[in-house]
């Protein structure tokens, strides 16, 4: 899997979510003629539309861990369970589950923290660079970014201690989380006062260098940025298949016919495996459905710091006058039906954490999306075996916003024949 010596002249990027728009932008920056294609009407309208908004370099551990099988059993049959398994007659689901279960070990979780953290730190650097490049181009990259940190709150002192121990390796890598008493949590984020009065906060872990932002606004702005640098964006264009020519990908087929390019990047999120399957390739990317609720932020007492509530299993971010809560994980196939009970449980959790959101409940917008998850919690990046000009930037699961721009920068460097900013082998499609 050696990178090509020279940059390709033309590249097709399939998928205009966080991963795809960032890849298109990074390639356009390097002078490549990019065509970005999405089946939806605009950029960031898939899973990148209404996620939790957290840019959480200090929380890059995979979900798979020793506690997960017990939690799934504990919540079995509960309609509002934060994790839910819906078995399907689908061998890809069972293969994914088997590999996910094999990763439910402390050592497997630890193994992924270093590579994910490197990507998250590269993402931070690239987001800063994009903002500067936009200013130089006479534009603004506004995605309601807040750099007030992320506070993880715990109801149980024992769990707080465990989480602090788990976070220790990150501290050694330079992205520490500070342990806070309940009073310190309120001093940092006064909007949490009602939760503390009810005895819901045993303490917190604060990552001052993390933040939040709106991934949909970002995706739209970055697609525009790529267009300014010569990229073409084809919306409402479903890619039916990748067209092969021996050991090369010739291009992609849409309703308009076959479109050719020197290289193709698959950034189709949860839609990636459907395009790989006919080529006999398995990425182990499988959808894990999540929900969010977005409502007007209560005036005067909305949280400014992004919150991860470890007991309620939700994250909350303040995105420019709106408050968003996100949570829930369901391994149940590609169905995007919004189940009112699951959506309501995210709203109920938000209201129980921040009772001041109650009056805005009527104005809440509910959404669900499919996290493109790998069993080990790291994305699939880089070259694909058997095809000399096919690349992946997909499978970011719970961390696509946190890892997206860094992934795009590294994949674009590889495609253009320069050394990627980090070692891509931990993200290879061949690792499973
Ligand atoms: C409830 C929830 C909360 C989350 N919270 C966070 C968070 O706080 N922080 C964080 O870092 N991450 C979070 N995530 C994860 C993050 O949102 C995802 O990892 C990220 O959006 C994935 O981006 P993507 O570009 O890979 O996929 P997508 O955004 O889904 O983009 C893929 C695009 O490909 C297109 N596509 C697919 N197939 C085809 C085809 N055949 N032809 C043409 N186009 C195609 C789709 O239309 C889509 O637009 C959350 C996810 C959910 C669901």
């Amino acid at each position: 899997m050696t990178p090509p010596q020279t940059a390709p002249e033309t590249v097709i990027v399939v998928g205009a979510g966080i991963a795809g728009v960032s890849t298109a932008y990074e390639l356009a920056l390097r002078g490549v003629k990019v065509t970005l294609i999405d089946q939806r009407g605009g950029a960031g309208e898939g899973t990148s539309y209404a996620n939790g908004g957290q840019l959480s370099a200090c929380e890059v551990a995979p979900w798979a861990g020793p506690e997960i099988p017990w939690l799934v059993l504990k919540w079995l049959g509960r309609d509002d369970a934060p994790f839910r398994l819906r078995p399907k007659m689908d061998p890809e689901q069972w293969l994914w589950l088997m590999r996910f279960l094999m990763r439910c070990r402390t050592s497997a979780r630890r193994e992924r923290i270093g590579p994910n953290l490197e990507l998250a730190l590269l993402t931070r650097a690239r987001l800063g660079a994009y903002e500067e490049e936009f200013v130089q181009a006479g534009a603004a990259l506004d995605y309601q970014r807040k750099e007030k940190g992320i506070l993880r709150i715990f109801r149980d002192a024992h769990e707080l201690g465990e989480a602090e121990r788990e976070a220790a390796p990150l501290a050694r890598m330079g992205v520490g989380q500070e342990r806070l008493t309940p009073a310190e949590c309120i001093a940092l984020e006064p909007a949490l006062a009602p939760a503390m009065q009810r005895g819901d906060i045993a303490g917190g872990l604060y990552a001052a260098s993390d933040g939040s932002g709106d991934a949909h606004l970002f995706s739209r702005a970055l697609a525009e940025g790529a267009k300014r640098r010569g990229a073409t964006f084809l919306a409402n264009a479903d890619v039916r298949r990748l067209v092969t020519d021996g050991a090369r990908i010739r291009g992609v087929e849409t309703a308009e016919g076959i479109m050719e390019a020197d290289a193709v990047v698959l950034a189709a999120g949860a839609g990636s495996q459907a395009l790989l399957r006919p080529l006999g390739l398995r990425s182990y990317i499988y959808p894990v459905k999540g929900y969010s609720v977005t409502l007007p932020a209560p005036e005067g007492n909305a949280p400014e710091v992004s919150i991860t509530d470890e007991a309620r299993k939700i994250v909350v971010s303040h995105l420019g006058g709106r408050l968003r809560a996100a949570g829930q994980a369901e391994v149940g196939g590609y169905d995007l039906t919004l189940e009112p009970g699951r959506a309501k449980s995210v709203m109920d959790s938000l209201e129980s954490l921040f009772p001041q959101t109650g009056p805005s409940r009527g104005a809440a917008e509910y959404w669900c999306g499919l996290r493109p998850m790998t069993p080990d919690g790291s994305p699939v990046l880089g070259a694909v075996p058997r095809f000399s000009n096919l690349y992946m930037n997909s499978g970011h699961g719970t961390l696509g916003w946190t890892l997206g721009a860094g992934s795009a920068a590294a994949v674009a460097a590889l495609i253009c024949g320069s050394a990627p900013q980090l070692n891509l082998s931990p993200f290879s499609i061949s690792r499973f």
Side-chain angles (χ1 to χ4, degrees), residues 49-69:
Y49 185 70
N51 70 15
Q54 289 192 332
L55 290 156
S56 56
C58 301
E59 280 179 70
V60 289
W63 272 4
E67 75 287 2
I68 295 295

Side-chain angles (χ1 to χ4, degrees), residues 73-368:
L73 283 178
K74 184 174 118 183
W75 287 320
L76 213 61
R78 253 181 58 182
D79 209 31
D80 61 344
F83 294 97
R84 186 161 73 167
L85 173 62
R86 279 198 162 170
K88 298 269 157 194
M89 296 293 286
D90 176 4
E92 274 172 13
Q93 187 194 49
W94 288 95
L95 285 171
W96 185 92
L97 279 169
M98 255 162 50
R99 277 173 175 72
F100 182 80
L101 280 175
M102 279 155 56
R103 301 292 305 179
C104 287
R105 292 174 283 118
T106 306
S107 57
R109 180 179 269 167
R110 278 208 193 116
E111 178 195 295
R112 284 283 137 190
I113 291 178
N116 283 359
L117 177 60
E118 273 196 76
L119 266 186
L121 295 180
L122 182 57
T123 296
R124 263 192 203 169
R126 292 312 296 152
L127 292 180
Y130 297 167
E131 281 167 31
E132 281 172 26
E133 282 150 15
F134 267 59
V135 171
Q136 278 162 21
L141 179 54
D142 180 10
Y143 54 97
Q144 309 290 358
R145 186 164 180 183
K146 261 199 197 318
E147 292 177 90
K148 302 233 168 175
I150 297 180
L151 174 64
R152 295 168 71 187
I153 53 168
F154 297 80
R155 198 182 283 163
D156 180 297
H158 174 70
E159 279 176 21
L160 169 60
E162 287 289 307
E164 191 182 19
R165 260 188 300 284
E166 272 195 17
L170 282 164
R172 285 195 290 278
M173 294 175 207
V175 281
Q177 299 181 41
E178 187 189 348
R179 182 167 176 156
L180 302 185
T181 63
E184 286 168 334
C185 290
I186 307 311
L188 177 72
E189 183 42 77
L192 286 169
M196 183 177 134
Q197 278 151 15
R198 279 200 314 269
D200 274 1
I201 302 179
L205 289 177
Y206 180 51
S209 60
D210 279 341
S212 56
D214 185 324
H216 178 225
L217 287 183
F218 170 86
S219 302
R220 281 191 357 202
L222 220 65
E224 286 304 313
K227 282 197 315 207
R228 265 199 308 278
R229 291 182 179 269
T232 305
F233 179 29
L234 296 183
N236 298 311
D238 186 34
V239 172
R240 294 171 175 170
R241 67 182 178 109
L242 303 177
V243 183
T244 59
D245 177 12
R248 287 179 50 77
I249 301 291
R250 202 173 119 213
V252 303
E253 185 184 300
T254 68
E256 304 300 313
I258 293 175
M259 199 180 299
E260 298 194 1
D262 297 334
V264 173
V265 183
L266 196 51
S272 299
Q273 181 53 34
L275 291 168
L276 289 172
R277 198 178 301 125
L279 310 185
L281 293 165
R282 209 189 280 286
S283 63
Y284 290 98
I285 296 170
Y286 194 78
V288 176
K289 190 170 174 179
Y291 284 78
S292 74
V293 53
T294 308
L295 40 72
E299 263 176 50
N301 59 355
E304 293 296 318
V305 176
S306 184
I307 304 291
T308 300
D309 184 335
E310 296 287 352
R312 293 176 178 83
K313 303 280 178 222
I314 55 165
V315 302
V316 182
S317 295
H318 190 157
L319 304 165
R322 295 162 305 143
L323 208 60
R324 173 160 313 143
Q328 302 274 358
E330 178 178 299
V331 184
Y334 290 83
D335 176 28
L336 259 174
T337 307
L338 192 143
E339 284 183 51
R342 310 272 297 164
K344 180 177 169 294
S345 93
V346 176
M347 181 62 226
D348 290 346
S349 297
L350 175 67
E351 193 177 334
S352 106
L353 178 62
F354 294 114
Q356 59 269 45
T357 58
S360 305
R361 203 178 166 113
E365 287 170 34
Y366 296 98
W367 171 86
C368 64

Side-chain angles (χ1 to χ4, degrees), residues 9-20:
E9 276 178 30
T10 56
V11 175
I12 290 172
V13 178
V14 183
I18 299 160

